Amino acid sequence: MKIKVYNGNTKALEENETVFYIQSKGNYSGRPLKAPIPNCWEVRTFRSVDFEILYIIYESKILSVFLRGSVIPFLSLVEYKKIIEPILKKAIHENRIINLHYLQIRKIEEKIKNQDKIKSLLFDLKKSLSNEVYKKLEIEIV
């Protein structure tokens, strides 16, 4: 796994490589992201479950004690690497139950993404219907 500061450019992926991002500043520092934002790190890995493992670390709130900054909290990349490296080494077990949990987290994320698409389509439908009804009302604004 390689983690570096995201500079706005993502080079082409190698075969079986996954790329995702980690928020580095703000109250959500340490949160894994599928798309880059300002103030994030780029993570490149060949293990597809690393995203879920880092999500588990983020949700555990263990990173909160490592936040610095009096106005805008942030994580140091060096400290972040020191925290996650031993966890990542230990995270992949022969224990199938743990590995199933990673897959369950991934499935939940996919369901959330699908629900967001449905929600967006419903908002578009609502907007379209409202515009259609408005045109039929033929309201004149004085």
Side-chain angles (χ1 to χ4, degrees):
M1 174 187 295
K2 295 178 186 174
I3 304 175
K4 67 174 189 156
V5 174
Y6 178 68
N7 63 6
N9 298 322
T10 302
K11 69 176 188 174
L13 294 175
E14 295 179 26
E15 190 175 332
N16 297 325
E17 187 177 35
T18 303
V19 66
F20 58 91
Y21 307 89
I22 303 291
Q23 185 169 340
S24 62
K25 291 186 180 169
N27 291 326
Y28 301 110
S29 295
R31 176 178 61 169
L33 307 163
K34 294 288 185 179
I37 61 169
N39 302 315
C40 70
W41 303 314
E42 179 183 277
V43 179
R44 293 179 160 271
T45 181
F46 291 97
R47 290 191 333 189
S48 63
V49 296
D50 284 347
F51 181 87
E52 287 78 14
I53 295 167
L54 294 178
Y55 180 80
I56 291 167
I57 293 170
Y58 168 74
E59 283 295 325
S60 72
K61 306 288 187 214
I62 64 168
L63 299 172
S64 61
V65 296
F66 297 97
L67 291 178
R68 296 192 220 172
S70 58
V71 178
I72 298 174
F74 69 94
L75 277 172
S76 158
L77 181 55
V78 173
E79 281 184 350
Y80 184 75
K81 286 179 180 181
K82 285 180 185 175
I83 297 164
I84 66 162
E85 282 179 6
I87 295 171
L88 286 170
K89 285 179 184 174
K90 197 173 182 183
I92 300 297
H93 293 281
E94 295 299 318
N95 184 344
R96 290 186 180 150
I97 294 170
I98 292 175
N99 293 335
L100 286 175
H101 288 304
Y102 300 149
L103 296 175
Q104 288 172 340
I105 290 170
R106 185 177 296 165
K107 286 179 183 179
I108 291 169
E109 187 66 34
E110 288 171 5
K111 288 192 181 292
I112 290 170
K113 190 186 281 187
N114 287 336
Q115 290 296 322
D116 288 345
K117 285 180 185 177
I118 291 169
K119 187 177 178 181
S120 176
L121 288 171
L122 288 172
F123 276 122
D124 291 346
L125 180 62
K126 180 180 170 184
K127 192 177 190 178
S128 176
L129 186 61
S130 295
N131 287 333
E132 189 177 317
V133 170
Y134 177 76
K135 288 178 185 175
K136 289 182 180 179
L137 290 175
E138 297 180 12
I139 299 173
E140 288 185 29
I141 300 176
V142 182

